[in-house]
Short mmCIF file of all heavy atoms in Angstrom, two decimals:
data_model
loop_
_atom_site.label_atom_id
_atom_site.label_comp_id
_atom_site.label_asym_id
_atom_site.label_seq_id
_atom_site.Cartn_x
_atom_site.Cartn_y
_atom_site.Cartn_z
N VAL G 142 16.22 -21.68 -14.19
CA VAL G 142 15.03 -21.81 -13.31
C VAL G 142 15.20 -20.75 -12.19
O VAL G 142 16.24 -20.65 -11.55
CB VAL G 142 15.01 -23.25 -12.74
CG1 VAL G 142 13.91 -23.35 -11.65
CG2 VAL G 142 14.79 -24.27 -13.81
N LYS G 143 14.05 -20.08 -11.96
CA LYS G 143 14.05 -19.12 -10.77
C LYS G 143 13.34 -19.83 -9.62
O LYS G 143 12.40 -20.56 -9.83
CB LYS G 143 13.27 -17.89 -11.19
CG LYS G 143 13.14 -16.88 -10.08
CD LYS G 143 12.74 -15.49 -10.58
CE LYS G 143 11.26 -15.40 -10.92
NZ LYS G 143 10.85 -14.01 -11.19
N VAL G 144 13.86 -19.58 -8.42
CA VAL G 144 13.24 -20.19 -7.25
C VAL G 144 12.62 -19.03 -6.41
O VAL G 144 13.31 -18.22 -5.80
CB VAL G 144 14.29 -20.90 -6.35
CG1 VAL G 144 13.61 -21.59 -5.19
CG2 VAL G 144 15.04 -21.96 -7.26
N PRO G 145 11.30 -19.01 -6.28
CA PRO G 145 10.67 -18.00 -5.35
C PRO G 145 10.61 -18.58 -3.92
O PRO G 145 10.27 -19.75 -3.72
CB PRO G 145 9.24 -17.88 -5.95
CG PRO G 145 9.19 -18.73 -7.14
CD PRO G 145 10.27 -19.74 -7.06
N ILE G 146 10.92 -17.71 -2.97
CA ILE G 146 10.89 -18.10 -1.54
C ILE G 146 10.10 -17.01 -0.84
O ILE G 146 10.40 -15.82 -0.99
CB ILE G 146 12.25 -18.19 -0.91
CG1 ILE G 146 13.12 -19.24 -1.62
CG2 ILE G 146 12.15 -18.51 0.54
CD1 ILE G 146 14.50 -19.44 -0.91
N THR G 147 9.15 -17.35 0.01
CA THR G 147 8.47 -16.33 0.82
C THR G 147 9.48 -15.73 1.82
O THR G 147 10.16 -16.50 2.48
CB THR G 147 7.27 -17.01 1.56
OG1 THR G 147 6.37 -17.56 0.62
CG2 THR G 147 6.48 -15.86 2.34
N GLY G 148 9.51 -14.42 1.88
CA GLY G 148 10.48 -13.76 2.68
C GLY G 148 10.23 -13.81 4.17
O GLY G 148 9.08 -14.05 4.61
N PRO G 149 11.26 -13.60 4.99
CA PRO G 149 11.10 -13.76 6.41
C PRO G 149 10.19 -12.75 7.10
O PRO G 149 9.51 -13.04 8.06
CB PRO G 149 12.57 -13.55 6.96
CG PRO G 149 13.27 -12.83 5.83
CD PRO G 149 12.66 -13.31 4.55
N TYR G 150 10.07 -11.58 6.51
CA TYR G 150 9.18 -10.55 7.10
C TYR G 150 7.69 -10.93 6.91
O TYR G 150 6.94 -10.89 7.88
CB TYR G 150 9.42 -9.15 6.42
CG TYR G 150 8.53 -8.09 6.96
CD1 TYR G 150 8.66 -7.62 8.28
CD2 TYR G 150 7.48 -7.60 6.22
CE1 TYR G 150 7.81 -6.70 8.83
CE2 TYR G 150 6.64 -6.64 6.71
CZ TYR G 150 6.82 -6.16 8.02
OH TYR G 150 5.98 -5.22 8.53
N THR G 151 7.38 -11.50 5.74
CA THR G 151 6.02 -11.98 5.50
C THR G 151 5.77 -13.24 6.34
O THR G 151 4.69 -13.37 6.93
CB THR G 151 5.79 -12.25 4.02
OG1 THR G 151 5.96 -11.02 3.36
CG2 THR G 151 4.37 -12.81 3.74
N LEU G 152 6.72 -14.13 6.42
CA LEU G 152 6.55 -15.37 7.26
C LEU G 152 6.34 -14.93 8.74
O LEU G 152 5.65 -15.67 9.44
CB LEU G 152 7.82 -16.23 7.16
CG LEU G 152 8.03 -17.00 5.81
CD1 LEU G 152 9.39 -17.68 5.83
CD2 LEU G 152 6.93 -18.03 5.58
N ALA G 153 6.94 -13.82 9.18
CA ALA G 153 6.77 -13.36 10.52
C ALA G 153 5.41 -12.61 10.72
O ALA G 153 4.64 -12.92 11.63
CB ALA G 153 7.90 -12.47 10.98
N SER G 154 5.12 -11.70 9.74
CA SER G 154 3.94 -10.91 9.87
C SER G 154 2.61 -11.69 9.78
O SER G 154 1.61 -11.25 10.40
CB SER G 154 3.95 -9.81 8.78
OG SER G 154 5.08 -9.04 8.87
N TRP G 155 2.63 -12.68 8.94
CA TRP G 155 1.42 -13.43 8.67
C TRP G 155 1.28 -14.65 9.60
O TRP G 155 0.68 -15.67 9.23
CB TRP G 155 1.29 -13.77 7.18
CG TRP G 155 1.11 -12.55 6.37
CD1 TRP G 155 1.03 -11.27 6.77
CD2 TRP G 155 0.93 -12.56 4.91
NE1 TRP G 155 0.86 -10.43 5.69
CE2 TRP G 155 0.81 -11.17 4.54
CE3 TRP G 155 0.93 -13.50 3.92
CZ2 TRP G 155 0.66 -10.75 3.23
CZ3 TRP G 155 0.78 -13.09 2.58
CH2 TRP G 155 0.63 -11.75 2.25
#
Side-chain angles (χ1 to χ4, degrees):
V142 173
K143 178 163 78 172
V144 183
I146 300 182
T147 303
Y150 178 71
T151 298
L152 288 173
S154 302
W155 292 1

